[in-house]
Amino acid sequence: LFSLDDVLVAACTERAPHNNDVLGASLPKADAAAKTSGEAAYAQDLRPGDALEAKVVFTNQPHARLRSLDVSAAEALDGVVAVVTAADVPVNEYGLTMFDQPVLIGPVNTDRAAVASDVSRWEADNLAVVIAETAEIATAAAALIEAEWEPLPIVADIDAALAPGAPLVHSEASADSNAYYHYVIRNGSPDEVSAAFDSAHVIVEGTYELPYQEHAFLQTEAGVGYLDDAGRITIETAGQWTHEDQMQIAHALDVPVEEIRVIYRAIGGAFGGKEDMSVQIVLALAVRKLADLGVQRTVRTEWSREESIIGHHKRHRGRVHARLAADAEGTILAVVGIARDGARDGVGRGALP
């Protein structure tokens, strides 16, 4: 066993070779000492003294159309600096592989977004962002927001989504069903596959239901936003794809990517759960709203564990039907499988195939 001091000494004193011959070398991890000592700065650790606090308000509606939204009582609460709504989003859409999610749900759609922004398709769709002097004030103001909803049919599972005449989750899409994509990935001809099954000693076939998986990383979603010395909207957070974050923020704010800066602090756990947007775009919107009001202060937000579990994207729910053929020695001769994803694309198009 090694003591903490032993580990710190090893992490601090070991250096990479001075030449280019690094293959096979044991190289030090750049952040090993800071993480071992506890000195590493995570997004939740960023607490500037003059920072305002932002509360991201969820819709709490699995499927409903927003008829009206009144934030006046929240704006009037003492200590509230601003409330960000869909009206503040120039291009109200985002997404990793396709823009199929509104940044903020609002009662009025614009022709600048492909996705209908007046429909909540998930309890954690964002409704507003309250910016206040303290987190407590922001939370109290969030409770004063009044929203009128028209409930829409719930499409609860894969069978309901694919049933004839099923309500369309994305009615704005050109497709007449809830199926986003149909991939066929084949190695070998259909005749070869049929022959393999015909000659198989054993065939195993089954259908498997895969539930959503909660990543449960220790650090919940958090970050700060501010204008840097060059006037760029700067977001410090934790994620997995800085450039994708930058691109999606710039798209929603309708600015060139060079006007957006994304800095990742120590990421901690992620496991795929921080690939998608959480606080990045809404923090950027908050920064711009404050700048428009002449307020040059950092804004900070942090999700609770409950908000994190509700609000961040999960490992895909799905259904897999698999059929395997093997010979008498156990060698697999052929595999046929079908996998199905959930309600939004996210990274499903890349992960499931």
Side-chain angles (χ1 to χ4, degrees), residues 232-294:
R232 296 171 296 186
I233 293 177
T234 302
I235 305 301
E236 295 193 41
T237 185
Q240 294 182 245
W241 292 336
T242 52
H243 291 93
E244 281 75 5
D245 286 5
Q246 180 192 41
M247 180 274 293
Q248 291 182 81
I249 294 170
H251 177 79
L253 271 64
D254 196 23
V255 298
V257 292
E258 56 266 24
E259 294 185 16
I260 302 297
R261 190 179 182 204
V262 178
I263 301 172
Y264 280 176
R265 291 293 183 163
I267 297 170
F271 324 118
K274 292 179 180 175
E275 291 178 330
D276 296 279
M277 290 289 101
S278 57
V279 301
Q280 295 93 320
I281 300 177
V282 293
L283 272 176
L285 289 168
V287 172
R288 185 149 88 170
K289 179 89 170 187
L290 291 173
D292 290 344
L293 295 173

Short mmCIF file of all heavy atoms in Angstrom, two decimals, residues 232-294:
data_model
loop_
_atom_site.label_atom_id
_atom_site.label_comp_id
_atom_site.label_asym_id
_atom_site.label_seq_id
_atom_site.Cartn_x
_atom_site.Cartn_y
_atom_site.Cartn_z
N ARG A 232 -16.23 37.74 -25.35
CA ARG A 232 -16.83 36.47 -25.74
C ARG A 232 -17.65 35.89 -24.60
O ARG A 232 -17.26 35.97 -23.43
CB ARG A 232 -15.74 35.46 -26.12
CG ARG A 232 -14.92 35.84 -27.34
CD ARG A 232 -13.74 34.92 -27.53
NE ARG A 232 -12.79 35.02 -26.44
CZ ARG A 232 -11.61 34.41 -26.41
NH1 ARG A 232 -11.25 33.64 -27.42
NH2 ARG A 232 -10.81 34.55 -25.39
N ILE A 233 -18.80 35.31 -24.95
CA ILE A 233 -19.57 34.59 -23.94
C ILE A 233 -18.79 33.33 -23.58
O ILE A 233 -18.50 32.49 -24.44
CB ILE A 233 -20.97 34.23 -24.48
CG1 ILE A 233 -21.78 35.50 -24.70
CG2 ILE A 233 -21.69 33.29 -23.52
CD1 ILE A 233 -23.16 35.26 -25.29
N THR A 234 -18.46 33.21 -22.31
CA THR A 234 -17.60 32.12 -21.85
C THR A 234 -18.36 31.26 -20.85
O THR A 234 -18.94 31.77 -19.89
CB THR A 234 -16.31 32.67 -21.20
OG1 THR A 234 -15.63 33.50 -22.15
CG2 THR A 234 -15.40 31.55 -20.75
N ILE A 235 -18.36 29.96 -21.09
CA ILE A 235 -19.02 29.01 -20.23
C ILE A 235 -17.98 28.05 -19.66
O ILE A 235 -17.24 27.42 -20.41
CB ILE A 235 -20.10 28.20 -20.99
CG1 ILE A 235 -21.09 29.14 -21.68
CG2 ILE A 235 -20.80 27.23 -20.05
CD1 ILE A 235 -21.83 30.07 -20.74
N GLU A 236 -17.91 27.98 -18.35
CA GLU A 236 -17.04 27.01 -17.68
C GLU A 236 -17.94 25.95 -17.05
O GLU A 236 -18.78 26.27 -16.21
CB GLU A 236 -16.17 27.69 -16.63
CG GLU A 236 -15.18 28.69 -17.21
CD GLU A 236 -14.12 29.13 -16.20
OE1 GLU A 236 -13.63 28.26 -15.44
OE2 GLU A 236 -13.81 30.33 -16.15
N THR A 237 -17.76 24.72 -17.46
CA THR A 237 -18.63 23.65 -17.01
C THR A 237 -17.87 22.33 -17.11
O THR A 237 -16.64 22.32 -17.18
CB THR A 237 -19.93 23.63 -17.85
OG1 THR A 237 -20.83 22.66 -17.33
CG2 THR A 237 -19.66 23.37 -19.31
N ALA A 238 -18.59 21.23 -17.13
CA ALA A 238 -18.01 19.91 -17.35
C ALA A 238 -18.84 19.19 -18.38
O ALA A 238 -20.07 19.19 -18.31
CB ALA A 238 -17.96 19.11 -16.04
N GLY A 239 -18.19 18.60 -19.34
CA GLY A 239 -18.89 17.88 -20.39
C GLY A 239 -17.96 16.91 -21.07
O GLY A 239 -16.91 16.56 -20.53
N GLN A 240 -18.32 16.50 -22.25
CA GLN A 240 -17.52 15.52 -22.97
C GLN A 240 -17.07 15.98 -24.35
O GLN A 240 -16.12 15.43 -24.89
CB GLN A 240 -18.30 14.20 -23.07
CG GLN A 240 -18.51 13.54 -21.72
CD GLN A 240 -19.24 12.21 -21.80
OE1 GLN A 240 -20.33 12.09 -21.31
NE2 GLN A 240 -18.63 11.22 -22.42
N TRP A 241 -17.74 17.00 -24.91
CA TRP A 241 -17.40 17.46 -26.26
C TRP A 241 -17.42 18.99 -26.27
O TRP A 241 -18.45 19.59 -26.51
CB TRP A 241 -18.39 16.92 -27.28
CG TRP A 241 -18.32 15.44 -27.50
CD1 TRP A 241 -17.26 14.64 -27.28
CD2 TRP A 241 -19.37 14.60 -27.99
NE1 TRP A 241 -17.56 13.34 -27.60
CE2 TRP A 241 -18.84 13.28 -28.04
CE3 TRP A 241 -20.68 14.82 -28.39
CZ2 TRP A 241 -19.60 12.19 -28.48
CZ3 TRP A 241 -21.43 13.74 -28.83
CH2 TRP A 241 -20.89 12.44 -28.88
N THR A 242 -16.28 19.60 -26.06
CA THR A 242 -16.25 21.07 -25.99
C THR A 242 -16.70 21.71 -27.29
O THR A 242 -17.45 22.69 -27.28
CB THR A 242 -14.83 21.57 -25.65
OG1 THR A 242 -13.89 20.98 -26.55
CG2 THR A 242 -14.45 21.23 -24.23
N HIS A 243 -16.21 21.21 -28.42
CA HIS A 243 -16.53 21.87 -29.68
C HIS A 243 -18.00 21.68 -30.06
O HIS A 243 -18.61 22.59 -30.64
CB HIS A 243 -15.61 21.35 -30.79
CG HIS A 243 -14.19 21.78 -30.62
ND1 HIS A 243 -13.25 21.03 -29.96
CD2 HIS A 243 -13.55 22.93 -30.98
CE1 HIS A 243 -12.09 21.66 -29.94
NE2 HIS A 243 -12.26 22.82 -30.55
N GLU A 244 -18.59 20.53 -29.72
CA GLU A 244 -20.01 20.36 -29.97
C GLU A 244 -20.83 21.30 -29.09
O GLU A 244 -21.84 21.86 -29.51
CB GLU A 244 -20.43 18.91 -29.73
CG GLU A 244 -20.10 17.97 -30.88
CD GLU A 244 -18.61 17.62 -30.95
OE1 GLU A 244 -17.85 18.04 -30.05
OE2 GLU A 244 -18.22 16.91 -31.90
N ASP A 245 -20.40 21.48 -27.83
CA ASP A 245 -21.06 22.45 -26.96
C ASP A 245 -20.98 23.85 -27.57
O ASP A 245 -21.98 24.58 -27.64
CB ASP A 245 -20.39 22.47 -25.58
CG ASP A 245 -20.72 21.25 -24.74
OD1 ASP A 245 -21.40 20.34 -25.25
OD2 ASP A 245 -20.28 21.21 -23.58
N GLN A 246 -19.79 24.22 -27.99
CA GLN A 246 -19.59 25.53 -28.59
C GLN A 246 -20.48 25.73 -29.81
O GLN A 246 -21.13 26.78 -29.97
CB GLN A 246 -18.11 25.71 -28.98
CG GLN A 246 -17.78 27.05 -29.61
CD GLN A 246 -16.40 27.06 -30.24
OE1 GLN A 246 -15.99 26.08 -30.87
NE2 GLN A 246 -15.66 28.15 -30.06
N MET A 247 -20.55 24.72 -30.66
CA MET A 247 -21.35 24.82 -31.88
C MET A 247 -22.83 24.98 -31.56
O MET A 247 -23.52 25.81 -32.16
CB MET A 247 -21.12 23.57 -32.74
CG MET A 247 -21.91 23.54 -34.05
SD MET A 247 -23.59 22.85 -33.87
CE MET A 247 -23.21 21.15 -33.48
N GLN A 248 -23.33 24.18 -30.60
CA GLN A 248 -24.75 24.25 -30.29
C GLN A 248 -25.12 25.56 -29.61
O GLN A 248 -26.20 26.12 -29.85
CB GLN A 248 -25.14 23.06 -29.41
CG GLN A 248 -25.08 21.73 -30.14
CD GLN A 248 -25.51 20.57 -29.27
OE1 GLN A 248 -26.70 20.32 -29.10
NE2 GLN A 248 -24.55 19.87 -28.70
N ILE A 249 -24.24 26.07 -28.75
CA ILE A 249 -24.49 27.38 -28.13
C ILE A 249 -24.54 28.46 -29.20
O ILE A 249 -25.45 29.31 -29.23
CB ILE A 249 -23.41 27.71 -27.08
CG1 ILE A 249 -23.48 26.74 -25.91
CG2 ILE A 249 -23.56 29.15 -26.58
CD1 ILE A 249 -22.29 26.84 -24.96
N ALA A 250 -23.54 28.46 -30.09
CA ALA A 250 -23.48 29.48 -31.15
C ALA A 250 -24.71 29.40 -32.05
O ALA A 250 -25.26 30.44 -32.46
CB ALA A 250 -22.21 29.30 -31.96
N HIS A 251 -25.17 28.19 -32.36
CA HIS A 251 -26.35 28.03 -33.21
C HIS A 251 -27.58 28.64 -32.54
O HIS A 251 -28.34 29.39 -33.17
CB HIS A 251 -26.58 26.56 -33.51
CG HIS A 251 -27.82 26.29 -34.31
ND1 HIS A 251 -27.88 26.47 -35.67
CD2 HIS A 251 -29.07 25.87 -33.94
CE1 HIS A 251 -29.09 26.18 -36.11
NE2 HIS A 251 -29.83 25.81 -35.08
N ALA A 252 -27.80 28.32 -31.27
CA ALA A 252 -28.99 28.81 -30.58
C ALA A 252 -28.95 30.33 -30.41
O ALA A 252 -29.99 31.00 -30.52
CB ALA A 252 -29.12 28.14 -29.22
N LEU A 253 -27.76 30.88 -30.16
CA LEU A 253 -27.63 32.33 -29.98
C LEU A 253 -27.46 33.08 -31.30
O LEU A 253 -27.43 34.31 -31.32
CB LEU A 253 -26.47 32.66 -29.04
CG LEU A 253 -26.81 32.71 -27.54
CD1 LEU A 253 -27.26 31.35 -27.03
CD2 LEU A 253 -25.61 33.21 -26.73
N ASP A 254 -27.31 32.31 -32.40
CA ASP A 254 -27.15 32.88 -33.73
C ASP A 254 -25.94 33.82 -33.81
O ASP A 254 -26.04 34.95 -34.28
CB ASP A 254 -28.43 33.62 -34.16
CG ASP A 254 -28.46 33.89 -35.66
OD1 ASP A 254 -27.78 33.17 -36.41
OD2 ASP A 254 -29.16 34.84 -36.08
N VAL A 255 -24.81 33.32 -33.34
CA VAL A 255 -23.55 34.08 -33.40
C VAL A 255 -22.47 33.17 -33.97
O VAL A 255 -22.59 31.93 -33.93
CB VAL A 255 -23.13 34.59 -32.00
CG1 VAL A 255 -24.17 35.55 -31.44
CG2 VAL A 255 -22.86 33.44 -31.04
N PRO A 256 -21.39 33.74 -34.50
CA PRO A 256 -20.28 32.91 -34.96
C PRO A 256 -19.67 32.13 -33.80
O PRO A 256 -19.65 32.60 -32.65
CB PRO A 256 -19.29 33.93 -35.52
CG PRO A 256 -20.10 35.16 -35.80
CD PRO A 256 -21.18 35.18 -34.76
N VAL A 257 -19.15 30.94 -34.10
CA VAL A 257 -18.61 30.09 -33.03
C VAL A 257 -17.45 30.77 -32.31
O VAL A 257 -17.23 30.51 -31.11
CB VAL A 257 -18.17 28.71 -33.57
CG1 VAL A 257 -19.35 27.90 -34.01
CG2 VAL A 257 -17.16 28.87 -34.70
N GLU A 258 -16.72 31.65 -33.00
CA GLU A 258 -15.58 32.30 -32.34
C GLU A 258 -16.01 33.29 -31.27
O GLU A 258 -15.17 33.75 -30.48
CB GLU A 258 -14.68 32.99 -33.36
CG GLU A 258 -15.38 34.01 -34.24
CD GLU A 258 -15.85 33.41 -35.56
OE1 GLU A 258 -16.06 32.18 -35.62
OE2 GLU A 258 -16.02 34.19 -36.52
N GLU A 259 -17.30 33.60 -31.20
CA GLU A 259 -17.79 34.47 -30.14
C GLU A 259 -18.23 33.69 -28.90
O GLU A 259 -18.67 34.28 -27.92
CB GLU A 259 -18.97 35.30 -30.65
CG GLU A 259 -18.58 36.31 -31.73
CD GLU A 259 -19.72 37.20 -32.14
OE1 GLU A 259 -20.72 37.26 -31.39
OE2 GLU A 259 -19.62 37.84 -33.21
N ILE A 260 -18.08 32.37 -28.96
CA ILE A 260 -18.43 31.50 -27.83
C ILE A 260 -17.18 30.76 -27.38
O ILE A 260 -16.44 30.20 -28.19
CB ILE A 260 -19.51 30.48 -28.22
CG1 ILE A 260 -20.77 31.19 -28.73
CG2 ILE A 260 -19.83 29.57 -27.04
CD1 ILE A 260 -21.47 32.06 -27.71
N ARG A 261 -16.95 30.75 -26.09
CA ARG A 261 -15.81 30.04 -25.52
C ARG A 261 -16.32 29.05 -24.48
O ARG A 261 -17.11 29.42 -23.60
CB ARG A 261 -14.85 31.03 -24.87
CG ARG A 261 -13.51 30.43 -24.45
CD ARG A 261 -12.63 31.51 -23.84
NE ARG A 261 -11.33 31.00 -23.47
CZ ARG A 261 -10.55 31.55 -22.54
NH1 ARG A 261 -10.97 32.62 -21.89
NH2 ARG A 261 -9.37 31.03 -22.26
N VAL A 262 -15.91 27.79 -24.59
CA VAL A 262 -16.31 26.75 -23.64
C VAL A 262 -15.06 26.19 -22.99
O VAL A 262 -14.12 25.75 -23.67
CB VAL A 262 -17.09 25.61 -24.33
CG1 VAL A 262 -17.44 24.52 -23.33
CG2 VAL A 262 -18.35 26.16 -24.99
N ILE A 263 -15.03 26.22 -21.66
CA ILE A 263 -13.89 25.72 -20.89
C ILE A 263 -14.38 24.60 -19.99
O ILE A 263 -15.35 24.78 -19.25
CB ILE A 263 -13.26 26.84 -20.03
CG1 ILE A 263 -12.78 28.00 -20.91
CG2 ILE A 263 -12.11 26.29 -19.18
CD1 ILE A 263 -12.33 29.22 -20.13
N TYR A 264 -13.74 23.46 -20.09
CA TYR A 264 -14.09 22.35 -19.21
C TYR A 264 -13.18 22.35 -17.99
O TYR A 264 -11.95 22.32 -18.12
CB TYR A 264 -13.93 21.01 -19.93
CG TYR A 264 -15.08 20.64 -20.84
CD1 TYR A 264 -15.03 19.50 -21.62
CD2 TYR A 264 -16.23 21.43 -20.92
CE1 TYR A 264 -16.07 19.14 -22.45
CE2 TYR A 264 -17.27 21.09 -21.75
CZ TYR A 264 -17.19 19.94 -22.52
OH TYR A 264 -18.22 19.59 -23.34
N ARG A 265 -13.78 22.40 -16.84
CA ARG A 265 -13.04 22.16 -15.60
C ARG A 265 -12.90 20.65 -15.42
O ARG A 265 -13.26 19.88 -16.31
CB ARG A 265 -13.79 22.80 -14.43
CG ARG A 265 -13.79 24.31 -14.47
CD ARG A 265 -12.38 24.87 -14.24
NE ARG A 265 -12.34 26.32 -14.19
CZ ARG A 265 -11.32 27.00 -13.70
NH1 ARG A 265 -10.28 26.37 -13.19
NH2 ARG A 265 -11.34 28.33 -13.71
N ALA A 266 -12.38 20.22 -14.28
CA ALA A 266 -12.26 18.78 -14.05
C ALA A 266 -13.62 18.13 -14.25
O ALA A 266 -14.62 18.57 -13.68
CB ALA A 266 -11.73 18.51 -12.64
N ILE A 267 -13.66 17.12 -15.10
CA ILE A 267 -14.95 16.57 -15.52
C ILE A 267 -15.53 15.61 -14.49
O ILE A 267 -16.72 15.60 -14.23
CB ILE A 267 -14.80 15.88 -16.89
CG1 ILE A 267 -14.40 16.92 -17.93
CG2 ILE A 267 -16.10 15.19 -17.29
CD1 ILE A 267 -14.01 16.32 -19.26
N GLY A 268 -14.68 14.81 -13.87
CA GLY A 268 -15.21 13.80 -12.96
C GLY A 268 -15.93 12.73 -13.75
O GLY A 268 -15.58 12.42 -14.88
N GLY A 269 -16.95 12.14 -13.19
CA GLY A 269 -17.71 11.11 -13.88
C GLY A 269 -18.56 11.69 -14.99
O GLY A 269 -19.00 12.83 -14.92
N ALA A 270 -18.79 10.89 -16.02
CA ALA A 270 -19.66 11.29 -17.12
C ALA A 270 -20.31 10.05 -17.72
O ALA A 270 -21.52 9.92 -17.77
CB ALA A 270 -18.89 12.08 -18.18
N PHE A 271 -19.47 9.13 -18.23
CA PHE A 271 -19.95 7.82 -18.71
C PHE A 271 -20.96 7.94 -19.84
O PHE A 271 -21.80 7.07 -20.04
CB PHE A 271 -20.55 7.00 -17.56
CG PHE A 271 -19.87 7.18 -16.24
CD1 PHE A 271 -20.55 7.71 -15.16
CD2 PHE A 271 -18.54 6.83 -16.08
CE1 PHE A 271 -19.91 7.88 -13.94
CE2 PHE A 271 -17.90 7.00 -14.86
CZ PHE A 271 -18.58 7.53 -13.79
N GLY A 272 -20.89 9.04 -20.61
CA GLY A 272 -21.87 9.28 -21.66
C GLY A 272 -23.00 10.19 -21.23
O GLY A 272 -23.73 10.72 -22.07
N GLY A 273 -23.15 10.43 -19.94
CA GLY A 273 -24.25 11.24 -19.44
C GLY A 273 -24.04 12.73 -19.57
O GLY A 273 -24.95 13.51 -19.28
N LYS A 274 -22.84 13.17 -20.01
CA LYS A 274 -22.59 14.59 -20.19
C LYS A 274 -22.23 14.91 -21.63
O LYS A 274 -21.56 15.91 -21.92
CB LYS A 274 -21.48 15.05 -19.23
CG LYS A 274 -21.93 15.01 -17.76
CD LYS A 274 -20.84 15.44 -16.80
CE LYS A 274 -21.34 15.36 -15.35
NZ LYS A 274 -20.28 15.67 -14.37
N GLU A 275 -22.68 14.05 -22.55
CA GLU A 275 -22.48 14.34 -23.96
C GLU A 275 -23.48 15.38 -24.45
O GLU A 275 -23.16 16.20 -25.31
CB GLU A 275 -22.65 13.06 -24.79
CG GLU A 275 -21.53 12.05 -24.56
CD GLU A 275 -21.75 10.78 -25.36
OE1 GLU A 275 -22.92 10.42 -25.61
OE2 GLU A 275 -20.75 10.14 -25.72
N ASP A 276 -24.68 15.35 -23.93
CA ASP A 276 -25.74 16.25 -24.38
C ASP A 276 -25.73 17.55 -23.57
O ASP A 276 -25.05 17.68 -22.56
CB ASP A 276 -27.09 15.56 -24.25
CG ASP A 276 -27.21 14.35 -25.15
OD1 ASP A 276 -27.49 14.53 -26.35
OD2 ASP A 276 -27.02 13.22 -24.66
N MET A 277 -26.52 18.49 -24.03
CA MET A 277 -26.63 19.77 -23.34
C MET A 277 -27.33 19.62 -21.99
O MET A 277 -28.23 18.80 -21.82
CB MET A 277 -27.45 20.75 -24.18
CG MET A 277 -26.79 21.25 -25.44
SD MET A 277 -25.42 22.40 -25.14
CE MET A 277 -24.05 21.30 -25.37
N SER A 278 -26.90 20.43 -21.04
CA SER A 278 -27.62 20.56 -19.77
C SER A 278 -27.72 22.05 -19.44
O SER A 278 -28.72 22.69 -19.74
CB SER A 278 -26.93 19.76 -18.66
OG SER A 278 -25.57 20.18 -18.49
N VAL A 279 -26.66 22.62 -18.89
CA VAL A 279 -26.71 24.03 -18.49
C VAL A 279 -25.99 24.95 -19.46
O VAL A 279 -26.01 26.18 -19.29
CB VAL A 279 -26.11 24.21 -17.08
CG1 VAL A 279 -26.86 23.36 -16.06
CG2 VAL A 279 -24.61 23.86 -17.06
N GLN A 280 -25.35 24.41 -20.49
CA GLN A 280 -24.47 25.22 -21.34
C GLN A 280 -25.20 26.34 -22.07
O GLN A 280 -24.81 27.51 -21.99
CB GLN A 280 -23.74 24.32 -22.35
CG GLN A 280 -22.78 23.32 -21.73
CD GLN A 280 -23.42 21.97 -21.46
OE1 GLN A 280 -24.57 21.89 -21.03
NE2 GLN A 280 -22.69 20.89 -21.71
N ILE A 281 -26.25 25.99 -22.82
CA ILE A 281 -26.93 27.01 -23.63
C ILE A 281 -27.66 28.00 -22.74
O ILE A 281 -27.63 29.22 -22.98
CB ILE A 281 -27.89 26.38 -24.63
CG1 ILE A 281 -27.14 25.44 -25.59
CG2 ILE A 281 -28.61 27.46 -25.44
CD1 ILE A 281 -28.04 24.71 -26.57
N VAL A 282 -28.33 27.52 -21.71
CA VAL A 282 -29.10 28.44 -20.86
C VAL A 282 -28.19 29.40 -20.10
O VAL A 282 -28.56 30.55 -19.86
CB VAL A 282 -30.04 27.68 -19.90
CG1 VAL A 282 -31.14 26.97 -20.68
CG2 VAL A 282 -29.28 26.68 -19.04
N LEU A 283 -27.00 28.95 -19.72
CA LEU A 283 -26.04 29.87 -19.10
C LEU A 283 -25.62 30.94 -20.09
O LEU A 283 -25.50 32.12 -19.73
CB LEU A 283 -24.82 29.10 -18.60
CG LEU A 283 -24.87 28.52 -17.19
CD1 LEU A 283 -23.62 27.70 -16.90
CD2 LEU A 283 -25.03 29.63 -16.15
N ALA A 284 -25.37 30.54 -21.33
CA ALA A 284 -24.98 31.51 -22.35
C ALA A 284 -26.10 32.53 -22.58
O ALA A 284 -25.84 33.74 -22.73
CB ALA A 284 -24.63 30.80 -23.64
N LEU A 285 -27.34 32.07 -22.61
CA LEU A 285 -28.47 32.99 -22.75
C LEU A 285 -28.56 33.96 -21.56
O LEU A 285 -28.87 35.14 -21.73
CB LEU A 285 -29.77 32.21 -22.87
CG LEU A 285 -29.98 31.45 -24.19
CD1 LEU A 285 -31.16 30.49 -24.06
CD2 LEU A 285 -30.22 32.42 -25.35
N ALA A 286 -28.28 33.43 -20.38
CA ALA A 286 -28.31 34.28 -19.19
C ALA A 286 -27.25 35.36 -19.25
O ALA A 286 -27.50 36.53 -18.90
CB ALA A 286 -28.12 33.42 -17.94
N VAL A 287 -26.06 34.99 -19.73
CA VAL A 287 -24.98 35.98 -19.86
C VAL A 287 -25.39 37.08 -20.83
O VAL A 287 -25.20 38.28 -20.56
CB VAL A 287 -23.68 35.29 -20.34
CG1 VAL A 287 -22.61 36.34 -20.69
CG2 VAL A 287 -23.16 34.34 -19.28
N ARG A 288 -25.98 36.69 -21.96
CA ARG A 288 -26.36 37.70 -22.94
C ARG A 288 -27.52 38.57 -22.44
O ARG A 288 -27.54 39.78 -22.68
CB ARG A 288 -26.75 37.05 -24.27
CG ARG A 288 -27.02 38.10 -25.33
CD ARG A 288 -26.69 37.64 -26.70
NE ARG A 288 -27.82 36.97 -27.32
CZ ARG A 288 -27.85 36.64 -28.60
NH1 ARG A 288 -26.81 36.88 -29.38
NH2 ARG A 288 -28.90 36.03 -29.11
N LYS A 289 -28.46 37.97 -21.74
CA LYS A 289 -29.57 38.75 -21.17
C LYS A 289 -29.03 39.79 -20.20
O LYS A 289 -29.44 40.96 -20.22
CB LYS A 289 -30.54 37.82 -20.47
CG LYS A 289 -31.73 38.50 -19.82
CD LYS A 289 -32.89 38.64 -20.76
CE LYS A 289 -34.15 39.09 -20.05
NZ LYS A 289 -35.33 39.09 -20.92
N LEU A 290 -28.10 39.38 -19.35
CA LEU A 290 -27.51 40.32 -18.40
C LEU A 290 -26.75 41.43 -19.12
O LEU A 290 -26.85 42.61 -18.74
CB LEU A 290 -26.58 39.58 -17.44
CG LEU A 290 -27.24 38.62 -16.44
CD1 LEU A 290 -26.18 37.83 -15.67
CD2 LEU A 290 -28.14 39.38 -15.47
N ALA A 291 -25.99 41.06 -20.15
CA ALA A 291 -25.23 42.07 -20.90
C ALA A 291 -26.18 43.08 -21.54
O ALA A 291 -25.89 44.28 -21.56
CB ALA A 291 -24.37 41.38 -21.95
N ASP A 292 -27.31 42.59 -22.07
CA ASP A 292 -28.28 43.51 -22.67
C ASP A 292 -28.86 44.48 -21.64
O ASP A 292 -29.27 45.60 -21.98
CB ASP A 292 -29.42 42.71 -23.32
CG ASP A 292 -28.97 41.96 -24.56
OD1 ASP A 292 -27.89 42.28 -25.10
OD2 ASP A 292 -29.69 41.03 -24.98
N LEU A 293 -28.89 44.04 -20.38
CA LEU A 293 -29.40 44.88 -19.30
C LEU A 293 -28.29 45.75 -18.70
O LEU A 293 -28.55 46.52 -17.76
CB LEU A 293 -30.02 44.02 -18.20
CG LEU A 293 -31.27 43.23 -18.59
CD1 LEU A 293 -31.67 42.28 -17.45
CD2 LEU A 293 -32.42 44.16 -18.94
N GLY A 294 -27.06 45.62 -19.23
CA GLY A 294 -25.94 46.38 -18.71
C GLY A 294 -25.36 45.82 -17.43
O GLY A 294 -24.64 46.52 -16.70
#
